[in-house]
Amino acid sequence: MDELLLRSLTPSVLAVLVRRGADFAAAEDAVQDALVEAVRVWPGEVPRDPKGWLVTVAWRRFLDATRADTSRRRREDRLDEEPAPGPAPAVDDTLQLYFLCAHPSLTPSSAVALTLRAVGGLTTRQIARAYLVPEATMAQRISRAKRTVSGVRFDRPGDVSTVLRVLYLVFNEGYSGDVDLAAEAIRLTRQLAAAIDHPEVAGLLALMLLHHARRASRTGPDGSLVPLAAQDRGRWDTGMIAEGVGILQAALARDRLGEFQAQAAVAALHADAPTAEETDWVQIVEWYDELAGLTDSPVVRLNRAVAVGEADGPRAGLAELAALSDSLPRYTAVAAYLHERDGDLETAARLYAEAAHQAPTLAERDHLTRQAARLNAERR
């Protein structure tokens, strides 16, 4: 069974059902039923037209469910609209579905959560982690979003900013290594950039390219994390970096700064440095100042504390850190790093061990555990 094939076809099949008049919740249920049927049937023989097969089965399941509810009589005419046998059109509906899910009846945060769950394929836990909220809270938000759009026709697409937020979070989850969605997010953002002349779309595409260019160097042969300062810059994709920088420069020239352009500018400064020691941390702090003004995000301020620690010394970074909540993700890891830079190895080792227990992924936990062990060994 080709699970990647099923994942890639799901958004397009869901979009077909929505366009045919199915409300979102019912369409999602029907597509899930079709996927279950595919898992049961396809191991024997994958159909020649997998998408057409899924559309046909999902539409039949939707019609079966529709007949059972109170609106059955109004929807029986849709029987005539059942997709005819034969190849389905080779149309990529994924980006359109992102816009449809960003429906005006939803708040931006609910639209993002719903799209990530239904189209992006992320779990509720992954989405909750991205939003820095408990999993139960996110589950309730997604359930409310589904109830809100139940029975609503998706004929009014949402705005670009919401779609950009979804694509950014999908890329981040793929880049973390939990689910390989980064390349798909870049593909869709390229499509959006080709269709819409918008500086923040360009900024997001530049940011994705600059981060993705470093992907091969982010882990060692054993799968362990390699921090940015220790990465082999010879493995960075210089062609992708050049493309990202060119896109960013064109966007910045329009003098309509947004958060994705500012983040891309930080990434470009890292990419431009021949060595970690030659990184222009003063400019990076200035860009974080711009970014903090645009977003007022505590995560941005946490990253800024690191940059201040590099530009002005670890004690300056610790002073910035003291103004933030210690409940922030990776706060303890940042504190450990700055204390190590300041020469307080005992405190740094203790904080690295604490951060390892809080780490959201196994790779991060192992990395932080090794950092603590290294400092404890140095102190002996």
Side-chain angles (χ1 to χ4, degrees), residues 200-331:
E200 272 294 82
V201 177
L204 178 57
L205 179 57
L207 175 62
M208 289 178 174
L209 292 171
L210 288 165
H211 278 305
H212 208 58
R214 303 200 303 258
R215 185 163 191 174
S217 63
R218 292 183 72 244
T219 55
D222 59 353
S224 60
L225 286 182
V226 179
L228 176 60
Q231 288 176 14
D232 179 0
R233 299 183 179 223
R235 299 184 65 196
W236 290 1
D237 187 329
T238 55
M240 194 175 293
I241 289 173
E243 181 186 6
V245 169
I247 292 171
L248 173 63
Q249 288 175 337
L252 291 175
R254 301 176 64 176
D255 198 24
R256 290 170 54 193
L257 183 64
E259 62 174 297
F260 293 123
Q261 295 170 69
Q263 288 189 60
V266 171
L269 286 167
H270 283 298
D272 188 53
T275 65
E277 293 73 24
E278 296 174 86
T279 303
D280 190 341
W281 287 105
V282 173
Q283 273 204 69
I284 288 177
V285 171
E286 292 173 355
W287 276 112
Y288 273 126
D289 287 339
E290 294 279 1
L291 191 54
L294 290 166
T295 67
D296 196 30
S297 164
V299 175
V300 168
R301 296 191 182 279
L302 182 67
N303 291 333
R304 182 184 179 278
V306 176
V308 169
E310 298 289 355
D312 300 328
R315 294 194 179 182
L318 286 167
E320 295 289 334
L321 192 64
L324 303 175
S325 169
D326 61 6
S327 64
L328 281 170
R330 299 184 175 87
Y331 177 100

Side-chain angles (χ1 to χ4, degrees), residues 111-242:
V112 170
L114 178 62
T115 312
L116 289 171
R117 183 70 185 90
V119 187
L122 273 63
T123 66
T124 303
R125 176 176 297 179
Q126 290 168 330
I127 302 169
R129 191 173 65 214
Y131 269 92
L132 311 181
V133 299
E135 184 177 352
T137 301
M138 183 53 63
Q140 292 174 356
R141 185 179 299 177
I142 294 172
S143 295
R144 285 197 300 269
K146 288 183 177 180
R147 287 196 299 271
T148 299
V149 300
S150 180
V152 173
R153 286 192 64 86
F154 281 67
D155 53 0
R156 291 187 298 152
D159 61 18
V160 175
S161 62
T162 301
V163 173
L164 289 179
R165 178 64 51 193
V166 175
L167 289 169
Y168 176 60
L169 291 175
V170 169
F171 175 81
N172 277 346
E173 191 57 49
Y175 193 62
S176 75
D178 288 344
V179 182
D180 190 9
L181 295 172
E184 172 68 359
I186 291 174
R187 183 183 71 83
L188 292 173
T189 306
R190 284 191 188 278
Q191 285 187 9
L192 188 58
I196 300 176
D197 184 19
H198 191 297
E200 272 294 82
V201 177
L204 178 57
L205 179 57
L207 175 62
M208 289 178 174
L209 292 171
L210 288 165
H211 278 305
H212 208 58
R214 303 200 303 258
R215 185 163 191 174
S217 63
R218 292 183 72 244
T219 55
D222 59 353
S224 60
L225 286 182
V226 179
L228 176 60
Q231 288 176 14
D232 179 0
R233 299 183 179 223
R235 299 184 65 196
W236 290 1
D237 187 329
T238 55
M240 194 175 293
I241 289 173

Side-chain angles (χ1 to χ4, degrees), residues 61-140:
R61 295 300 170 90
F62 166 70
L63 292 176
D64 289 343
T66 299
R67 293 191 197 98
D69 65 30
T70 56
S71 62
R72 172 175 55 85
R73 292 180 182 178
R74 296 197 305 271
R75 299 183 180 181
E76 282 182 342
D77 290 341
R78 292 177 183 161
L79 284 167
D80 297 331
E81 299 176 16
E82 181 177 327
V91 177
D92 184 355
D93 301 295
T94 308
L95 190 57
Q96 180 191 16
L97 192 57
Y98 271 62
F99 273 95
L100 291 175
C101 287
H103 197 271
S105 64
L106 295 171
T107 63
S109 61
S110 293
V112 170
L114 178 62
T115 312
L116 289 171
R117 183 70 185 90
V119 187
L122 273 63
T123 66
T124 303
R125 176 176 297 179
Q126 290 168 330
I127 302 169
R129 191 173 65 214
Y131 269 92
L132 311 181
V133 299
E135 184 177 352
T137 301
M138 183 53 63
Q140 292 174 356

